[in-house]
């Protein structure tokens, strides 16, 4: 996470721990896009992630946790 924050990267993960780490540390960076299991079919994941990144670029540049769920996408501005 430190490397991603230092280089303004966005983390893409299926792991819930990254959101928990941001919450506990009150981190401002890096932005995290967390895909919940079953949210997107694996064949559509790349296209969906690119769409999400394009739509939420301002939020991700300033620091956000994006949770992609089966029924909706939630955006929370950092720190949590």
């Amino acid at each position: 996470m430190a490397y991603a924050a230092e280089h303004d990267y966005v983390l893409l993960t299926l792991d819930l721990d990254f959101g928990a780490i941001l919450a506990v540390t009150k981190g401002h960076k890096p932005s995290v896009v967390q895909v919940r299991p079953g949210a997107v079919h694996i064949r559509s994941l790349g296209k969906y992630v690119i769409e999400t990144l394009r739509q939420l670029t301002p939020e991700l540049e300033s620091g956000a946790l994006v949770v992609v769920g089966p029924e909706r996408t939630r955006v929370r501005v950092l720190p949590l």
Side-chain angles (χ1 to χ4, degrees), residues 3-80:
Y3 185 84
E6 183 179 326
H7 292 88
D8 276 337
Y9 290 161
V10 174
L11 292 173
L12 174 65
T13 184
L14 296 170
D15 191 329
L16 302 179
D17 291 340
F18 291 102
I21 291 168
L22 285 172
V24 169
T25 63
K26 306 243 187 268
H28 292 269
K29 291 273 181 159
S31 288
V32 173
V33 176
Q34 190 177 68
V35 180
R36 297 262 184 181
V40 180
H41 191 280
I42 193 70
R43 291 186 183 142
S44 306
L45 184 60
K47 180 181 173 189
Y48 189 80
V49 167
I50 290 169
E51 268 179 43
T52 300
L53 293 174
R54 285 186 179 146
Q55 289 175 357
L56 299 174
T57 297
E59 291 86 350
L60 293 167
E61 286 177 346
S62 64
L65 172 62
V66 177
V67 180
V68 178
E71 296 166 15
R72 65 183 173 137
T73 297
R74 291 181 300 147
V75 180
R76 296 186 61 195
V77 176
L78 300 178
L80 300 177

